[in-house]
Structures are given as C-alpha cells and as structure tokens.
Amino acid sequence: VDTPSRVGHDVAIVSSAVVPVGRYHDELEHEMLLRPFVEAWGAIELDRSEIGAVVLANPRPYAAQRYFATFITAYLGLPVDGVVVEVLGNGMTGGLALDAAADQIRLGRARAALVLGVSRETHVPSAEHMDLVMRSVGDVDFHTPLGVTPVAWYALNATRYLSDYGYTRTDLAAIAVKNRMHASLNPIAQYGAPLTIEEVLDARPVARPLHLYDVPPRSDGAVAMVLAEATLAEQIVAQPVHLVGRGFHHEGVHQIADVPASLTRYIAAERAAEIAYADAGIGPDQIDVAEVYAPCTVVEAILSESLGLFREGEGLRAATRGETSLGGRIPISTDGGCLSRGHPPMVTPLYNVHEARLQLCGQADQRQVHDAEIALTTCELGDYNAALVHVLATRRRGEAGGGNGWRLASADPHT
Amino acid sequence: MNGPGSPYPPRDSAIVRRFLAHLAESELATTRCVSCGHTTFPPKHLCPRCWATELEWVVLTGEGCLASFTELHVVPGLFATEAPYVLGVVDLDEGVRCLARVMGCFDELSCGQRLALDFERSAAQSYLVFDVTDAP
C-alpha cells in the first residue's frame, strides 16, 4: 500500500464523554446529548471562539427535531466559521462525524471542533424498528421483499465461517462471554452481569446460528468529543490522543456481491486497515488495543483476521484461547463491545473512540491495558461492505520512542 | 396461481415488471451487458463493471449452489406471521450470486448443496424461492 498523502494540520482528541449506554425513554435527544457535552467541555480549558466546526452524527429518524445539527448549535449559542453539518453512513455514521470534524482542522478551517452524536431508538418497538432498518440493509425491490434483517447478513457469514473452519456455536460463545466480562468492568456498559457459555448456547435463536447473546441489544446513547489542532491540543491537555492513521474502503457492494465472493472475509476492512497502517507507519503487531465495530460474535472473529491481528480462520480460535481478552496478547473490545457495552448504532463508533482514548490516557481503570500507546478503532456499513479504520496514539506521527519500541513514521515517508 | 405475496412487495417499475413477467413464464431472467458480457443480479439499467447502458435480458437456468444460509426467528413486524424462515446466498451456475428464500430446515441444510428455483412459489411471492435438489 502506498502511504496515503497527508496534507494539513495534525489533529488530536482533547476530551470526550459519554452517557451510560441504555434505554432513555424520559429524556429527549438534545437532553441526552447535553450531559456528555457539559462533561467533555468542562474537563478542558478552551475559549469557545476556537470552535470552528460542529459535526453531528445523524440521529435516528425517530428524532422529532429534524436538522438536529443546526438546532443543537443554536442551543449552544455558538457562532461557527468552518462548518455545521450532520453526516450519515449507517453504522459508520459516528466514525464519519469524527473524520469530518478532523478534516476541518486539517484544512485549517477550524482550530478546534465538536463531534456530537445521539442515537435513540429503544422507545420504538423492535418489530416496528425492523420494518424501517430492513430497507437499509438491502435492495428494497430484490432483498427487502424476502424479509431480510441486519443480523441476517452476519448470520450468513457465521454459517459459512463455522462450516469452513470446523467451529461450533460454543466457540462463538467465547466472544460473548469475554465481552460481558469486559463490560462488567465498565460503568457505562448496558449489560454487566456475568454470562456463561451455557447461557449463550441456551438463549433463544435470532438468526441461526446466531442466538440472543451473539447479537447486539437495542441501545440508546450519546457522545461528545472535542478535537483540536495538535499543537493547540498539547497546550490544552496533558494527554492529547493523536489521530495518526486513517483508512477507508467501500468495496462497491451493497450487502451482497452480484458474483460469488468470500463470505468469511471482510475485504473492505482488510483494505481500510492496510491504508490506515500505512498512514500511521505501523504494522498490526504494534496495536495495543482494538475497539472494533462488531455487532455480532462472528463479526469480531472475522474482523480480527481482516485487521491482520490473526491469520484467516484463526480469529475465533484466538478468542477461545483468551488472546483477545484483557491480559491477552491483543485485547479487543475492552469496553464490552456492541454485545455488552451496548450498540446505539449511530454513535457506536464514537463510543469505541472514547474507550480507545481512555485506554491511551491510562484512564480505563480496571480495564486498563498496560502501557497502551497505540489503539485501533473500526466502523462499518452493510456487511462490512465499507469500513473506516482509525489509528490513535499517545504521540504524534514522527515522534520516536516508546516503551514497546514503536516509532511512528515521519510525516514525510520519503525523507 | 395466487400466493399471499410478500408483505413488502417490490415497487412497480419497468425492471421489476419485466423480471416478474419472466418469473410468471417460469423463467429466471436478469440483465447482461452487451458490451462486456457481465451479468448482473438484480437486473440493472447500467453495467456496474463497465458503465455501459446497453443491456440485454438473458434467461438463467435457476440452478446453483447454496453458499450460506440462516434461519430467521426475530423478524420485521411485517413478516411476523412468516417466521421462522430460511434465507440463503445462492451462487447460480452462470456465476451470478443472489439472496433468496430456501425451502428446508436449517439443521438439514449445508453449504455447497445443490438448489433449483421453485418457479411457482417465486412467481406467487414476487421473490426468489429455491428448493434443495438431489442432483450432484
């Protein structure tokens, strides 16, 4: 992979906050969002006139307030010179919001930027909600009439993955149990009570071979984040988290290719990760912790291979051996992931980035990965038909050193 | 032959009408690019491989292999009375992949199994329905 050309200013996250993932039936979207905003802004000292961009992850269509970005900017009484915009990309929405805000800083249109997102849907009954989302995860004329669901596509991955590599549902259950264990250490997780392999196996089927604990709960959540140009960030906070690598790929497919293709590889994630690693000047072996967008057990297994952390077909075995648990070789989803932290889809990518920031700042308490210096986050849309990968680090690109010997590439790869 | 049809039927359009008209004649039809020969499913107005806009309708055998499958128990409200049902990824012998309903029990299906289109059911439902065949 050629190193992506990099223009403009370096960007860092200086603050972030979230509400506990759960069900918010008595609070409206903007009320949910104000809580993390006040917390994230209160944690830093920055003149609000420095904010040149407000980027909002598009809320669910159930939000009565439309064009939420301009509404919330007015609620904050914030004049802005760069841009005020909301972005949408299904499960990738939160990641694209981070990207869009960072770009405003890279381009010099903003010195600091707000990334905001709220995803509220649990007040709508599941069956009614699925009547809507079935139209997002397929061609409405040729797939939706079949009664397809978002989880169905991952289940199709699962059947083939288990069949090709000789795994069983018991193996998949290891990921659900591991993520629940991680969530039990995370105060903002939706589900923290212990979960056993037997409970995972005995749960009711959702989309076989995936059962209740193989798939995400329905969740509401809200996240606020403050980004700043790297030099400004270093003046504001002791531990800015630098965005040092970014990769994106859309494979030109909506859920299903029109020719036979692998159902056990996420090609878009492979490509996006390659680009992100090249951008950061690192390899997958230098990742200390991965906060991934994995709505189902099988997705985390396949994705761990796509990201180059394990060989093809080995991701699930590694999980059953504890290699992706806290204390393992490469901890994945230390916050409990989509399965147990919870999955408010439009902001799930921002929850992942928030956990990555806590890990890199040494603020993850009992979930802390020792000396974490480089973290990876992912998000996706479709059946990982598109992927967005970010590499975050405690230091800027080009800054050498580090306890585990990593060194980020210099800003100019040719020097 | 009247079936209940899909609770969320395809929209009325020239492409959908043509596709359903073929199904009613017990034919699985889709579009192929006149310029590069790429066959697409679903049928399209533009070739995704070369962006040519001259496409022709071709009739496929309706036979292929089961690449993967799932049995849905939690389904959209509109489909509640149909659950559980099996969806499969079907690789047709002409090298075309499609999503379809598969008649059969989840526990008795396996990847790689041979399938054939059930024209009668497909025409009645306005979507593709496959049966398992004994053919190798």
Side-chain angles (χ1 to χ4, degrees):
Chain A
V1 179
D2 291 336
T3 305
S5 61
R6 181 172 270 255
V7 297
H9 304 280
D10 286 338
V11 181
I13 305 169
V14 293
S15 188
S16 66
V18 304
V19 298
V21 180
R23 291 167 181 263
Y24 290 81
H25 291 193
D26 299 325
E27 276 182 62
L28 299 174
E29 283 82 4
H30 64 284
E31 294 166 339
M32 287 176 66
L33 185 51
L34 287 175
R35 293 208 269 148
F37 168 74
V38 168
E39 184 182 338
W41 187 252
I44 55 174
E45 283 190 33
L46 181 64
D47 192 306
R48 59 194 275 178
S49 67
E50 298 280 14
I51 298 171
V54 178
V55 181
L56 190 96
N58 194 292
R60 283 298 199 189
Y62 312 120
Q65 180 64 59
R66 304 310 294 162
Y67 202 21
F68 202 91
T70 196
F71 168 79
I72 200 74
T73 304
Y75 205 98
L76 300 176
L78 186 65
V80 173
D81 281 335
V83 76
V84 173
V85 67
E86 53 200 284
V87 299
L88 173 64
N90 281 6
M92 193 180 281
T93 296
L96 291 172
L98 177 74
D99 244 17
D103 284 348
Q104 292 298 313
I105 296 171
R106 287 193 185 101
L107 291 170
R109 292 181 182 148
R111 294 243 297 158
L114 296 180
V115 184
L116 306 172
V118 55
S119 188
R120 179 172 176 267
E121 64 174 59
T122 68
H123 58 296
V124 178
S126 293
E128 184 183 331
H129 177 63
M130 290 175 82
D131 284 339
L132 174 79
V133 294
M134 71 176 184
R135 291 161 45 207
S136 302
V137 294
D139 180 315
V140 292
D141 296 317
F142 290 89
H143 298 150
T144 311
L146 293 158
V148 71
T149 68
V151 167
W153 296 104
Y154 304 124
L156 292 164
N157 296 139
T159 298
R160 189 61 189 252
Y161 188 80
L162 299 185
S163 171
D164 279 6
Y165 297 112
Y167 290 119
T168 65
R169 284 193 55 224
T170 309
D171 298 315
L172 282 181
I175 290 179
V177 170
K178 178 268 291 182
N179 284 350
R180 181 60 66 90
M181 184 271 285
H182 289 174
S184 74
L185 305 174
N186 185 359
I188 63 98
Q190 188 171 10
Y191 294 101
L195 184 68
T196 66
I197 295 278
E198 290 68 32
E199 286 171 311
V200 178
L201 296 178
D202 292 344
R204 63 187 169 88
V206 173
R208 294 179 71 189
L210 303 178
H211 290 232
L212 188 65
Y213 296 114
D214 291 292
V215 308
R218 297 189 62 217
S219 319
D220 304 326
V223 184
M225 223 166 257
V226 185
L227 310 186
E229 184 278 315
T231 303
L232 175 62
E234 285 158 353
Q235 293 162 4
I236 300 170
V237 291
Q239 293 173 301
V241 167
H242 297 277
L243 302 180
V244 297
R246 183 265 191 195
F248 173 90
H249 186 71
H250 192 300
E251 57 181 350
V253 163
H254 186 44
Q255 304 291 157
I256 186 173
D258 64 358
V259 296
S262 174
L263 288 166
T264 59
R265 288 174 61 190
Y266 293 140
I267 303 297
E270 292 178 15
R271 175 76 182 146
E274 266 188 290
I275 296 170
Y277 292 143
D279 191 24
I282 63 163
D285 56 324
Q286 288 166 284
I287 300 296
D288 295 313
V289 56
E291 286 304 309
V292 299
Y293 188 106
C296 301
T297 48
V298 68
V299 178
E300 191 174 297
I302 294 176
L303 186 62
S304 69
E305 301 165 14
S306 313
L307 299 175
L309 304 174
F310 301 102
R311 286 200 302 276
E312 259 181 72
E314 290 296 317
L316 188 49
R317 195 174 333 278
T320 62
R321 290 176 179 164
E323 293 184 43
T324 60
S325 303
L326 277 169
R329 183 165 73 75
I330 168 70
I332 297 180
S333 301
T334 55
D335 60 355
C338 291
L339 295 168
S340 284
R341 175 209 55 214
H343 183 40
M346 313 316 270
V347 295
T348 283
L350 294 174
Y351 273 92
N352 290 344
V353 171
H354 173 70
E355 174 71 3
R357 187 184 76 81
L358 294 182
Q359 289 287 354
L360 296 178
C361 290
Q363 295 172 4
D365 297 325
Q366 294 179 79
R367 309 184 309 287
Q368 185 63 49
V369 174
H370 185 62
D371 286 339
E373 295 179 325
I374 304 183
L376 174 145
T377 63
T378 74
C379 51
E380 61 128 357
L381 58 81
D383 185 19
Y384 258 97
N385 304 117
L388 177 60
V389 173
H390 285 107
V391 179
L392 292 74
T394 51
R395 275 165 289 147
R396 291 205 214 189
R397 278 165 57 101
E399 285 183 354
N404 66 359
W406 60 269
R407 178 196 167 91
L408 296 175
S410 69
D412 180 353
H414 303 294
T415 57
Chain B
M1 157 199 53
N2 292 311
S6 170
Y8 192 89
R11 295 167 298 179
D12 185 42
S13 69
I15 285 259
V16 167
R17 273 197 300 277
R18 179 82 186 258
F19 174 75
L20 295 179
H22 278 282
L23 265 188
E25 298 294 321
S26 293
E27 289 179 343
L28 172 57
T30 192
T31 52
R32 182 172 64 193
C33 177
V34 170
S35 171
C36 80
H38 180 63
T39 305
T40 63
F41 188 85
K44 292 183 171 177
H45 292 291
L46 173 142
C47 175
R49 183 163 290 176
C50 73
W51 290 0
T53 52
E54 192 184 348
L55 285 83
E56 59 188 353
W57 284 82
V58 292
V59 173
L60 310 177
T61 60
E63 293 178 12
C65 284
L66 185 59
S68 192
F69 55 96
T70 177
E71 182 178 272
L72 298 189
H73 290 255
V74 177
V75 302
L78 287 170
F79 290 83
T81 60
E82 299 188 16
Y85 47 85
V86 174
L87 294 182
V89 174
V90 182
D91 290 336
L92 298 170
D93 292 343
E94 291 86 355
V96 174
R97 172 167 280 188
C98 56
L99 185 75
R101 288 279 185 99
V102 178
M103 303 306 293
C105 297
F106 181 84
D107 292 311
E108 289 166 13
L109 293 170
S110 58
C111 296
Q113 232 165 354
R114 293 291 299 173
L115 304 171
L117 193 67
D118 185 327
F119 287 100
E120 195 171 330
R121 276 208 172 90
S122 299
Q125 296 295 111
S126 303
Y127 55 65
L128 301 181
V129 184
F130 283 83
D131 295 313
V132 175
T133 65
D134 295 320

